[in-house]
Each structure stands twice: as C-alpha cells, then as structure tokens.
PDB file of all heavy atoms in Angstrom:
ATOM      1  N   GLN M 228    -237.440-108.518-145.243  1.00 97.00           N
ATOM      2  CA  GLN M 228    -238.584-109.040-144.503  1.00 97.00           C
ATOM      3  C   GLN M 228    -239.370-107.844-143.958  1.00 97.00           C
ATOM      4  O   GLN M 228    -238.918-107.124-143.062  1.00 97.00           O
ATOM      5  CB  GLN M 228    -238.095-109.948-143.377  1.00 97.00           C
ATOM      6  CG  GLN M 228    -239.170-110.412-142.412  1.00 97.00           C
ATOM      7  CD  GLN M 228    -240.373-111.008-143.091  1.00 97.00           C
ATOM      8  OE1 GLN M 228    -241.411-110.338-143.203  1.00 97.00           O
ATOM      9  NE2 GLN M 228    -240.262-112.229-143.552  1.00 97.00           N
ATOM     10  N   LEU M 229    -240.564-107.628-144.507  1.00 98.00           N
ATOM     11  CA  LEU M 229    -241.320-106.412-144.222  1.00 98.00           C
ATOM     12  C   LEU M 229    -241.692-106.277-142.753  1.00 98.00           C
ATOM     13  O   LEU M 229    -241.729-105.159-142.218  1.00 98.00           O
ATOM     14  CB  LEU M 229    -242.579-106.369-145.088  1.00 98.00           C
ATOM     15  CG  LEU M 229    -242.367-106.421-146.602  1.00 98.00           C
ATOM     16  CD1 LEU M 229    -243.699-106.218-147.324  1.00 98.00           C
ATOM     17  CD2 LEU M 229    -241.345-105.412-147.071  1.00 98.00           C
ATOM     18  N   ALA M 230    -241.940-107.386-142.081  1.00 97.00           N
ATOM     19  CA  ALA M 230    -242.406-107.314-140.693  1.00 97.00           C
ATOM     20  C   ALA M 230    -241.404-106.607-139.790  1.00 97.00           C
ATOM     21  O   ALA M 230    -241.789-105.823-138.909  1.00 97.00           O
ATOM     22  CB  ALA M 230    -242.674-108.717-140.162  1.00 97.00           C
ATOM     23  N   PHE M 231    -240.112-106.852-140.009  1.00 97.00           N
ATOM     24  CA  PHE M 231    -239.110-106.259-139.130  1.00 97.00           C
ATOM     25  C   PHE M 231    -239.016-104.750-139.330  1.00 97.00           C
ATOM     26  O   PHE M 231    -238.698-104.012-138.394  1.00 97.00           O
ATOM     27  CB  PHE M 231    -237.755-106.923-139.364  1.00 97.00           C
ATOM     28  CG  PHE M 231    -237.687-108.326-138.834  1.00 97.00           C
ATOM     29  CD1 PHE M 231    -237.892-109.407-139.665  1.00 97.00           C
ATOM     30  CD2 PHE M 231    -237.442-108.562-137.485  1.00 97.00           C
ATOM     31  CE1 PHE M 231    -237.843-110.699-139.181  1.00 97.00           C
ATOM     32  CE2 PHE M 231    -237.395-109.851-136.989  1.00 97.00           C
ATOM     33  CZ  PHE M 231    -237.597-110.923-137.830  1.00 97.00           C
ATOM     34  N   PHE M 232    -239.285-104.290-140.550  1.00 97.00           N
ATOM     35  CA  PHE M 232    -239.279-102.848-140.798  1.00 97.00           C
ATOM     36  C   PHE M 232    -240.579-102.212-140.305  1.00 97.00           C
ATOM     37  O   PHE M 232    -240.564-101.119-139.726  1.00 97.00           O
ATOM     38  CB  PHE M 232    -239.071-102.579-142.286  1.00 97.00           C
ATOM     39  CG  PHE M 232    -237.681-102.904-142.759  1.00 97.00           C
ATOM     40  CD1 PHE M 232    -237.387-104.150-143.279  1.00 97.00           C
ATOM     41  CD2 PHE M 232    -236.663-101.972-142.648  1.00 97.00           C
ATOM     42  CE1 PHE M 232    -236.104-104.464-143.705  1.00 97.00           C
ATOM     43  CE2 PHE M 232    -235.374-102.268-143.066  1.00 97.00           C
ATOM     44  CZ  PHE M 232    -235.097-103.525-143.598  1.00 97.00           C
ATOM     45  N   GLU M 233    -241.693-102.873-140.516  1.00 97.00           N
ATOM     46  CA  GLU M 233    -242.972-102.353-140.043  1.00 97.00           C
ATOM     47  C   GLU M 233    -242.980-102.224-138.526  1.00 97.00           C
ATOM     48  O   GLU M 233    -243.578-101.287-137.970  1.00 97.00           O
ATOM     49  CB  GLU M 233    -244.104-103.265-140.512  1.00 97.00           C
ATOM     50  CG  GLU M 233    -244.331-103.218-142.023  1.00 97.00           C
ATOM     51  CD  GLU M 233    -245.232-104.334-142.515  1.00 97.00           C
ATOM     52  OE1 GLU M 233    -245.632-105.185-141.693  1.00 97.00           O
ATOM     53  OE2 GLU M 233    -245.535-104.357-143.729  1.00 97.00           O
ATOM     54  N   ALA M 234    -242.305-103.159-137.838  1.00 96.00           N
ATOM     55  CA  ALA M 234    -242.259-103.119-136.376  1.00 96.00           C
ATOM     56  C   ALA M 234    -241.501-101.904-135.857  1.00 96.00           C
ATOM     57  O   ALA M 234    -241.656-101.524-134.690  1.00 96.00           O
ATOM     58  CB  ALA M 234    -241.612-104.394-135.837  1.00 96.00           C
ATOM     59  N   LEU M 235    -240.702-101.264-136.717  1.00 95.00           N
ATOM     60  CA  LEU M 235    -239.951-100.078-136.326  1.00 95.00           C
ATOM     61  C   LEU M 235    -240.737 -98.789-136.555  1.00 95.00           C
ATOM     62  O   LEU M 235    -240.215 -97.696-136.330  1.00 95.00           O
ATOM     63  CB  LEU M 235    -238.633-100.018-137.110  1.00 95.00           C
ATOM     64  CG  LEU M 235    -237.661-101.164-136.845  1.00 95.00           C
ATOM     65  CD1 LEU M 235    -236.499-101.107-137.824  1.00 95.00           C
ATOM     66  CD2 LEU M 235    -237.165-101.135-135.410  1.00 95.00           C
ATOM     67  N   GLY M 236    -241.991 -98.906-137.019  1.00 96.00           N
ATOM     68  CA  GLY M 236    -242.840 -97.746-137.207  1.00 96.00           C
ATOM     69  C   GLY M 236    -242.523 -96.979-138.482  1.00 96.00           C
ATOM     70  O   GLY M 236    -241.862 -97.494-139.385  1.00 96.00           O
ATOM     71  N   PRO M 237    -243.006 -95.738-138.585  1.00 97.00           N
ATOM     72  CA  PRO M 237    -242.806 -94.963-139.819  1.00 97.00           C
ATOM     73  C   PRO M 237    -241.348 -94.819-140.206  1.00 97.00           C
ATOM     74  O   PRO M 237    -241.014 -94.849-141.396  1.00 97.00           O
ATOM     75  CB  PRO M 237    -243.431 -93.600-139.481  1.00 97.00           C
ATOM     76  CG  PRO M 237    -244.419 -93.893-138.396  1.00 97.00           C
ATOM     77  CD  PRO M 237    -243.830 -95.021-137.595  1.00 97.00           C
ATOM     78  N   GLU M 238    -240.458 -94.676-139.236  1.00 97.00           N
ATOM     79  CA  GLU M 238    -239.037 -94.552-139.561  1.00 97.00           C
ATOM     80  C   GLU M 238    -238.507 -95.855-140.159  1.00 97.00           C
ATOM     81  O   GLU M 238    -237.637 -95.836-141.033  1.00 97.00           O
ATOM     82  CB  GLU M 238    -238.237 -94.181-138.318  1.00 97.00           C
ATOM     83  CG  GLU M 238    -238.502 -92.772-137.815  1.00 97.00           C
ATOM     84  CD  GLU M 238    -237.687 -92.456-136.578  1.00 97.00           C
ATOM     85  OE1 GLU M 238    -237.479 -93.375-135.752  1.00 97.00           O
ATOM     86  OE2 GLU M 238    -237.250 -91.309-136.434  1.00 97.00           O
ATOM     87  N   GLY M 239    -239.040 -96.976-139.702  1.00 97.00           N
ATOM     88  CA  GLY M 239    -238.632 -98.263-140.263  1.00 97.00           C
ATOM     89  C   GLY M 239    -239.087 -98.426-141.698  1.00 97.00           C
ATOM     90  O   GLY M 239    -238.348 -98.945-142.548  1.00 97.00           O
ATOM     91  N   THR M 240    -240.312 -97.981-141.988  1.00 96.00           N
ATOM     92  CA  THR M 240    -240.811 -98.043-143.364  1.00 96.00           C
ATOM     93  C   THR M 240    -239.988 -97.151-144.280  1.00 96.00           C
ATOM     94  O   THR M 240    -239.644 -97.538-145.408  1.00 96.00           O
ATOM     95  CB  THR M 240    -242.286 -97.636-143.408  1.00 96.00           C
ATOM     96  OG1 THR M 240    -243.046 -98.516-142.559  1.00 96.00           O
ATOM     97  CG2 THR M 240    -242.833 -97.720-144.820  1.00 96.00           C
ATOM     98  N   ALA M 241    -239.639 -95.964-143.804  1.00 97.00           N
ATOM     99  CA  ALA M 241    -238.798 -95.067-144.592  1.00 97.00           C
ATOM    100  C   ALA M 241    -237.425 -95.695-144.846  1.00 97.00           C
ATOM    101  O   ALA M 241    -236.863 -95.587-145.947  1.00 97.00           O
ATOM    102  CB  ALA M 241    -238.643 -93.726-143.881  1.00 97.00           C
ATOM    103  N   LEU M 242    -236.896 -96.386-143.840  1.00 98.00           N
ATOM    104  CA  LEU M 242    -235.610 -97.051-144.000  1.00 98.00           C
ATOM    105  C   LEU M 242    -235.701 -98.178-145.025  1.00 98.00           C
ATOM    106  O   LEU M 242    -234.783 -98.370-145.841  1.00 98.00           O
ATOM    107  CB  LEU M 242    -235.137 -97.598-142.654  1.00 98.00           C
ATOM    108  CG  LEU M 242    -233.805 -98.361-142.653  1.00 98.00           C
ATOM    109  CD1 LEU M 242    -232.671 -97.476-143.167  1.00 98.00           C
ATOM    110  CD2 LEU M 242    -233.506 -98.894-141.258  1.00 98.00           C
ATOM    111  N   LEU M 243    -236.803 -98.915-145.014  1.00 98.00           N
ATOM    112  CA  LEU M 243    -237.006 -99.969-146.005  1.00 98.00           C
ATOM    113  C   LEU M 243    -236.934 -99.408-147.414  1.00 98.00           C
ATOM    114  O   LEU M 243    -236.230 -99.953-148.280  1.00 98.00           O
ATOM    115  CB  LEU M 243    -238.366-100.642-145.773  1.00 98.00           C
ATOM    116  CG  LEU M 243    -238.849-101.578-146.877  1.00 98.00           C
ATOM    117  CD1 LEU M 243    -237.956-102.805-146.990  1.00 98.00           C
ATOM    118  CD2 LEU M 243    -240.307-101.984-146.623  1.00 98.00           C
ATOM    119  N   TRP M 244    -237.663 -98.312-147.679  1.00 97.00           N
ATOM    120  CA  TRP M 244    -237.650 -97.720-149.024  1.00 97.00           C
ATOM    121  C   TRP M 244    -236.241 -97.248-149.401  1.00 97.00           C
ATOM    122  O   TRP M 244    -235.809 -97.409-150.540  1.00 97.00           O
ATOM    123  CB  TRP M 244    -238.624 -96.552-149.113  1.00 97.00           C
ATOM    124  CG  TRP M 244    -240.059 -96.849-148.867  1.00 97.00           C
ATOM    125  CD1 TRP M 244    -240.951 -96.038-148.231  1.00 97.00           C
ATOM    126  CD2 TRP M 244    -240.808 -98.022-149.232  1.00 97.00           C
ATOM    127  NE1 TRP M 244    -242.190 -96.636-148.176  1.00 97.00           N
ATOM    128  CE2 TRP M 244    -242.126 -97.848-148.786  1.00 97.00           C
ATOM    129  CE3 TRP M 244    -240.476 -99.207-149.878  1.00 97.00           C
ATOM    130  CZ2 TRP M 244    -243.113 -98.803-148.978  1.00 97.00           C
ATOM    131  CZ3 TRP M 244    -241.456-100.178-150.065  1.00 97.00           C
ATOM    132  CH2 TRP M 244    -242.745 -99.968-149.625  1.00 97.00           C
ATOM    133  N   GLU M 245    -235.544 -96.692-148.429  1.00 97.00           N
ATOM    134  CA  GLU M 245    -234.189 -96.204-148.707  1.00 97.00           C
ATOM    135  C   GLU M 245    -233.252 -97.356-149.058  1.00 97.00           C
ATOM    136  O   GLU M 245    -232.480 -97.277-150.028  1.00 97.00           O
ATOM    137  CB  GLU M 245    -233.656 -95.440-147.499  1.00 97.00           C
ATOM    138  CG  GLU M 245    -232.297 -94.803-147.738  1.00 97.00           C
ATOM    139  CD  GLU M 245    -231.776 -94.053-146.528  1.00 97.00           C
ATOM    140  OE1 GLU M 245    -232.400 -94.114-145.449  1.00 97.00           O
ATOM    141  OE2 GLU M 245    -230.715 -93.403-146.669  1.00 97.00           O
ATOM    142  N   LEU M 246    -233.318 -98.443-148.296  1.00 98.00           N
ATOM    143  CA  LEU M 246    -232.437 -99.584-148.539  1.00 98.00           C
ATOM    144  C   LEU M 246    -232.800-100.303-149.836  1.00 98.00           C
ATOM    145  O   LEU M 246    -231.917-100.736-150.580  1.00 98.00           O
ATOM    146  CB  LEU M 246    -232.496-100.555-147.362  1.00 98.00           C
ATOM    147  CG  LEU M 246    -231.921-100.036-146.044  1.00 98.00           C
ATOM    148  CD1 LEU M 246    -232.205-101.029-144.912  1.00 98.00           C
ATOM    149  CD2 LEU M 246    -230.421 -99.783-146.160  1.00 98.00           C
ATOM    150  N   ALA M 247    -234.093-100.424-150.105  1.00 97.00           N
ATOM    151  CA  ALA M 247    -234.513-101.070-151.354  1.00 97.00           C
ATOM    152  C   ALA M 247    -234.057-100.240-152.553  1.00 97.00           C
ATOM    153  O   ALA M 247    -233.575-100.783-153.549  1.00 97.00           O
ATOM    154  CB  ALA M 247    -236.030-101.255-151.366  1.00 97.00           C
ATOM    155  N   SER M 248    -234.199 -98.924-152.459  1.00 97.00           N
ATOM    156  CA  SER M 248    -233.755 -98.050-153.545  1.00 97.00           C
ATOM    157  C   SER M 248    -232.248 -98.149-153.735  1.00 97.00           C
ATOM    158  O   SER M 248    -231.752 -98.196-154.871  1.00 97.00           O
ATOM    159  CB  SER M 248    -234.153 -96.599-153.253  1.00 97.00           C
ATOM    160  OG  SER M 248    -235.559 -96.469-153.174  1.00 97.00           O
ATOM    161  N   ALA M 249    -231.509 -98.196-152.636  1.00 97.00           N
ATOM    162  CA  ALA M 249    -230.053 -98.306-152.723  1.00 97.00           C
ATOM    163  C   ALA M 249    -229.648 -99.623-153.371  1.00 97.00           C
ATOM    164  O   ALA M 249    -228.699 -99.675-154.165  1.00 97.00           O
ATOM    165  CB  ALA M 249    -229.438 -98.182-151.334  1.00 97.00           C
ATOM    166  N   SER M 250    -230.351-100.686-153.051  1.00 97.00           N
ATOM    167  CA  SER M 250    -230.057-101.982-153.653  1.00 97.00           C
ATOM    168  C   SER M 250    -230.197-101.916-155.157  1.00 97.00           C
ATOM    169  O   SER M 250    -229.358-102.429-155.915  1.00 97.00           O
ATOM    170  CB  SER M 250    -230.996-103.056-153.094  1.00 97.00           C
ATOM    171  OG  SER M 250    -230.821-103.207-151.706  1.00 97.00           O
ATOM    172  N   ARG M 251    -231.252-101.270-155.617  1.00 95.00           N
ATOM    173  CA  ARG M 251    -231.476-101.159-157.058  1.00 95.00           C
ATOM    174  C   ARG M 251    -230.387-100.310-157.719  1.00 95.00           C
ATOM    175  O   ARG M 251    -229.936-100.605-158.821  1.00 95.00           O
ATOM    176  CB  ARG M 251    -232.861-100.582-157.330  1.00 95.00           C
ATOM    177  CG  ARG M 251    -234.013-101.431-156.797  1.00 95.00           C
ATOM    178  CD  ARG M 251    -233.976-102.852-157.345  1.00 95.00           C
ATOM    179  NE  ARG M 251    -233.924-102.861-158.795  1.00 95.00           N
ATOM    180  CZ  ARG M 251    -235.011-102.742-159.578  1.00 95.00           C
ATOM    181  NH1 ARG M 251    -236.209-102.641-159.041  1.00 95.00           N
ATOM    182  NH2 ARG M 251    -234.895-102.745-160.888  1.00 95.00           N
ATOM    183  N   VAL M 252    -229.957 -99.232-157.049  1.00 95.00           N
ATOM    184  CA  VAL M 252    -228.875 -98.401-157.576  1.00 95.00           C
ATOM    185  C   VAL M 252    -227.589 -99.225-157.708  1.00 95.00           C
ATOM    186  O   VAL M 252    -226.811 -99.042-158.653  1.00 95.00           O
ATOM    187  CB  VAL M 252    -228.645 -97.171-156.679  1.00 95.00           C
ATOM    188  CG1 VAL M 252    -227.374 -96.438-157.064  1.00 95.00           C
ATOM    189  CG2 VAL M 252    -229.841 -96.225-156.759  1.00 95.00           C
ATOM    190  N   MET M 253    -227.386-100.164-156.783  1.00 95.00           N
ATOM    191  CA  MET M 253    -226.217-101.043-156.841  1.00 95.00           C
ATOM    192  C   MET M 253    -226.361-102.154-157.878  1.00 95.00           C
ATOM    193  O   MET M 253    -225.468-102.985-158.026  1.00 95.00           O
ATOM    194  CB  MET M 253    -225.991-101.681-155.463  1.00 95.00           C
ATOM    195  CG  MET M 253    -225.633-100.721-154.372  1.00 95.00           C
ATOM    196  SD  MET M 253    -225.532-101.573-152.766  1.00 95.00           S
ATOM    197  CE  MET M 253    -225.603-100.186-151.631  1.00 95.00           C
ATOM    198  N   GLY M 254    -227.488-102.166-158.586  1.00 95.00           N
ATOM    199  CA  GLY M 254    -227.726-103.214-159.573  1.00 95.00           C
ATOM    200  C   GLY M 254    -228.171-104.527-158.970  1.00 95.00           C
ATOM    201  O   GLY M 254    -228.070-105.574-159.615  1.00 95.00           O
ATOM    202  N   LEU M 255    -228.697-104.473-157.744  1.00 97.00           N
ATOM    203  CA  LEU M 255    -229.088-105.690-157.028  1.00 97.00           C
ATOM    204  C   LEU M 255    -230.607-105.834-157.036  1.00 97.00           C
ATOM    205  O   LEU M 255    -231.319-104.951-156.550  1.00 97.00           O
ATOM    206  CB  LEU M 255    -228.578-105.610-155.586  1.00 97.00           C
ATOM    207  CG  LEU M 255    -228.711-106.843-154.713  1.00 97.00           C
ATOM    208  CD1 LEU M 255    -227.981-108.031-155.302  1.00 97.00           C
ATOM    209  CD2 LEU M 255    -228.184-106.536-153.308  1.00 97.00           C
ATOM    210  N   PRO M 256    -231.151-106.929-157.580  1.00 97.00           N
ATOM    211  CA  PRO M 256    -232.598-107.151-157.526  1.00 97.00           C
ATOM    212  C   PRO M 256    -233.111-107.220-156.086  1.00 97.00           C
ATOM    213  O   PRO M 256    -232.362-107.553-155.158  1.00 97.00           O
ATOM    214  CB  PRO M 256    -232.773-108.495-158.248  1.00 97.00           C
ATOM    215  CG  PRO M 256    -231.589-108.599-159.143  1.00 97.00           C
ATOM    216  CD  PRO M 256    -230.468-107.966-158.376  1.00 97.00           C
ATOM    217  N   VAL M 257    -234.394-106.927-155.918  1.00 98.00           N
ATOM    218  CA  VAL M 257    -235.006-106.851-154.586  1.00 98.00           C
ATOM    219  C   VAL M 257    -236.211-107.782-154.509  1.00 98.00           C
ATOM    220  O   VAL M 257    -237.016-107.858-155.444  1.00 98.00           O
ATOM    221  CB  VAL M 257    -235.432-105.398-154.278  1.00 98.00           C
ATOM    222  CG1 VAL M 257    -236.341-105.338-153.059  1.00 98.00           C
ATOM    223  CG2 VAL M 257    -234.206-104.516-154.069  1.00 98.00           C
ATOM    224  N   ILE M 258    -236.316-108.488-153.373  1.00 98.00           N
ATOM    225  CA  ILE M 258    -237.502-109.283-153.054  1.00 98.00           C
ATOM    226  C   ILE M 258    -238.111-108.703-151.778  1.00 98.00           C
ATOM    227  O   ILE M 258    -237.434-108.604-150.753  1.00 98.00           O
ATOM    228  CB  ILE M 258    -237.159-110.761-152.827  1.00 98.00           C
ATOM    229  CG1 ILE M 258    -236.490-111.368-154.062  1.00 98.00           C
ATOM    230  CG2 ILE M 258    -238.419-111.560-152.445  1.00 98.00           C
ATOM    231  CD1 ILE M 258    -235.897-112.751-153.825  1.00 98.00           C
ATOM    232  N   PHE M 259    -239.379-108.309-151.858  1.00 98.00           N
ATOM    233  CA  PHE M 259    -240.108-107.873-150.667  1.00 98.00           C
ATOM    234  C   PHE M 259    -240.822-109.094-150.092  1.00 98.00           C
ATOM    235  O   PHE M 259    -241.706-109.671-150.728  1.00 98.00           O
ATOM    236  CB  PHE M 259    -241.119-106.784-151.022  1.00 98.00           C
ATOM    237  CG  PHE M 259    -240.485-105.492-151.465  1.00 98.00           C
ATOM    238  CD1 PHE M 259    -240.495-105.124-152.808  1.00 98.00           C
ATOM    239  CD2 PHE M 259    -239.881-104.649-150.552  1.00 98.00           C
ATOM    240  CE1 PHE M 259    -239.917-103.940-153.223  1.00 98.00           C
ATOM    241  CE2 PHE M 259    -239.292-103.452-150.962  1.00 98.00           C
ATOM    242  CZ  PHE M 259    -239.310-103.106-152.306  1.00 98.00           C
TER     243      PHE M 259
END
C-alpha cells in the first residue's frame, strides 16, 4: 500500500523499493 510508505517520507519510499525488489528475488509477484 503506497500511502503508508509515502507517509514515511524519502526513507519510506526507499524502503518500498527495497522490499519490492526483495519480493521479486524471492520469486514473489508484487502488486503496487
């Protein structure tokens, strides 16, 4: 859910990209 990451500011957005990338590495599809 993008809103919860956006509410955390730039560090939250960076965390979103990191977690989404990790999900893909684990073979897990991602929904934004």
Side-chain angles (χ1 to χ4, degrees):
Q228 172 51 258
L229 302 186
F231 288 97
F232 290 93
E233 291 167 357
L235 297 171
E238 291 180 325
T240 301
L242 179 59
L243 169 66
W244 299 144
E245 185 180 6
L246 293 173
S248 298
S250 298
R251 299 303 306 277
V252 170
M253 295 175 197
L255 188 59
V257 167
I258 301 170
F259 293 106

